[in-house]
Amino acid sequence: MNKVFLIGNLTRDPELTETASGVSVCHFTIAVKRSYTTGDGERETDFLNCTAWRGLADSVARFCTKGSKVAVSGSIQIRDYEDNNGQKRTAVDIIAQDVEFLTPRSKSEEGDDLAIRKERIGNSIDSYENRKSGAKKPTQQRIAAFDDDGDIPF
């Protein structure tokens, strides 16, 4: 069984891209402190590369930024590659199957933050949503103020 559970903080903003066939993919790195201390009393930190696909990729890109605390569950994938100098290297990646957002959002962030993130990632979230639904986003309507004259309507 290949299953991993990690809790850590994003080291940079997530990078959302699409494959040639239009599938969303998000790459992000989390810093995870080890559960034990070294001889000098410090905790070492591991920096783990994570990849999320499809809807999960869109959610991570939409709601996470550098410093966000997340819980990631997924599997470990090991791949071999050759670097620019011809050296054989091994990379360890976490393929995220679930990401839980642990950093609470303040009320002021909820409205402004999404617009800023969409602009930063080139509106790829909008294009993905439009492609999936094939329709325009619904517009918000204001509800007229209720005039309460004190009478019970029944």
Side-chain angles (χ1 to χ4, degrees):
M1 179 185 303
N2 181 356
K3 192 74 168 173
V4 62
F5 298 94
L6 303 165
I7 295 177
N9 296 78
L10 270 70
T11 61
R12 56 186 161 80
D13 288 340
E15 297 173 9
L16 180 66
T17 59
E18 287 184 352
T19 64
S21 60
V23 177
S24 297
V25 59
C26 183
H27 299 283
F28 58 101
T29 301
I30 60 173
V32 179
K33 290 185 180 180
R34 294 186 182 173
S35 61
Y36 57 88
T37 58
T38 62
D40 57 358
E42 292 187 26
R43 286 186 186 232
E44 292 184 358
T45 303
D46 293 306
F47 298 91
L48 301 163
N49 295 321
C50 300
T51 303
W53 291 89
R54 296 177 179 75
L56 182 59
D58 294 326
S59 295
V60 170
R62 177 181 244 162
F63 297 112
C64 294
T65 58
K66 179 180 178 178
S68 297
K69 184 177 279 296
V70 294
V72 177
S73 64
S75 59
I76 297 173
Q77 183 178 42
I78 298 174
R79 59 185 168 85
D80 295 321
Y81 68 97
E82 199 170 292
D83 68 10
N84 295 337
N85 300 326
Q87 298 281 335
K88 289 188 178 184
R89 302 282 184 180
T90 300
V92 177
D93 295 314
I94 307 302
I95 306 303
Q97 295 163 342
D98 187 34
V99 177
E100 187 165 333
F101 311 126
L102 301 177
T103 300
R105 295 174 53 100
S106 69
K107 290 291 182 190
S108 63
E109 287 179 321
E110 289 178 5
D112 300 335
D113 223 15
L114 182 57
I116 293 168
R117 285 191 193 118
K118 282 183 179 180
E119 182 179 279
R120 185 179 59 234
I121 60 175
N123 292 320
S124 61
I125 292 172
D126 284 336
S127 65
Y128 176 75
E129 288 173 353
N130 289 339
R131 191 174 64 250
K132 292 290 275 186
S133 68
K136 293 182 179 178
K137 290 185 178 181
T139 58
Q140 292 183 347
Q141 298 177 358
R142 292 201 178 262
I143 298 173
F146 178 69
D147 183 20
D148 185 14
D149 60 1
D151 289 341
I152 300 176
F154 48 89

